[in-house]
Amino acid sequence: MTKTRCSWANPANPLYLAYHDEEWGVPCHDELRLFEMLNLEGAQAGLSWETILKKRATYRAAFDGWDAEKIAAYGPDKVAELLADPGIVRNRLKVAATVGNAQAYLRLRAEGSSLDQFLWAYVDGKPIVNPGPERIIKTALSDRISKDLSKRGFKFVGSTIVYAYMQAIGMVDDHDPACFCRKGA
């Protein structure tokens, strides 16, 4: 029996199908993954998610397993190394944003908070399930979270990126109404 999936899930790419089936839209409260996905969504700006997904393992290695303390301390030599790595998106602004995001994340933690607490407070800990089937790219809530993240020093967190992030970490369930992953399907 064939599973009905979202129309965007490329059936020719097993990595993409696994991402769709096991991660996208699944509520995430793991700090490391929340930090990773925030940066990967920013890296994806202007590119396809499939491109980033193929590079995810290299990103993890290049960015020290997403260890925010290590990333926050990156200097010019490490940035140059990253910009020479063909396994990631070699965009100076995106690499700099990741370093800055690590610093902003550490400040958030120093205040006694976490990405999990910060983000999920916007939805009272419960995912938003949109009725579908229209494709949403941003909302008033993603606008607000984007502004709040920006005020805290995070970069590459525009409203469209934040909405994609919200979908990726399960704050929003935008699976197609017929998709087997949709809550209540």
Side-chain angles (χ1 to χ4, degrees):
M1 184 167 129
T2 303
K3 293 179 179 177
T4 302
R5 292 182 172 89
C6 294
S7 58
W8 57 263
N10 181 356
N13 184 338
L15 190 63
Y16 211 37
L17 288 183
Y19 173 73
H20 169 272
D21 294 357
E22 299 164 18
E23 291 183 63
W24 193 78
V26 176
C28 175
H29 298 279
D30 177 83
E31 275 303 292
L32 187 61
R33 182 159 180 271
L34 291 170
F35 181 67
E36 173 188 36
M37 292 305 293
L38 180 68
N39 286 291
L40 291 178
E41 288 292 348
Q44 184 264 334
L47 304 169
S48 74
W49 179 247
E50 231 169 336
T51 298
I52 300 303
L53 196 56
K54 289 176 188 174
K55 295 176 179 283
R56 182 159 67 169
T58 307
Y59 263 97
R60 282 183 184 145
F63 285 94
D64 292 299
W66 296 107
D67 183 323
E69 290 182 10
K70 287 182 181 178
I71 296 168
Y74 286 175
D77 290 345
K78 179 63 175 181
V79 170
E81 178 187 319
L82 290 166
L83 291 173
D85 187 340
I88 68 167
V89 176
R90 295 178 289 178
N91 177 297
R92 186 171 300 283
L93 293 175
K94 291 178 181 182
V95 170
T98 302
V99 175
N101 287 349
Q103 294 163 351
Y105 173 64
L106 293 176
R107 285 191 301 273
L108 179 70
R109 283 192 10 209
E111 294 169 6
S113 190
S114 65
L115 278 173
D116 183 52
Q117 292 169 327
F118 177 79
L119 295 164
W120 284 92
Y122 286 94
V123 293
D124 293 325
K126 298 177 191 121
I128 297 167
V129 180
N130 285 319
E134 67 281 342
R135 290 278 171 236
I136 299 169
I137 61 166
K138 67 179 187 167
T139 62
L141 180 57
S142 67
D143 290 346
R144 195 166 120 223
I145 295 171
S146 169
K147 286 178 185 159
D148 289 351
L149 286 168
S150 291
K151 285 179 193 170
R152 292 183 162 277
F154 289 91
K155 303 290 182 210
F156 276 86
V157 290
S159 187
T160 302
I161 290 171
V162 167
Y163 192 77
Y165 178 55
M166 292 167 64
Q167 292 172 311
I169 64 169
M171 284 178 69
V172 175
D173 180 352
D174 274 341
H175 282 284
D176 290 349
C179 179
F180 84 97
C181 292
R182 185 168 181 88
K183 305 298 177 256

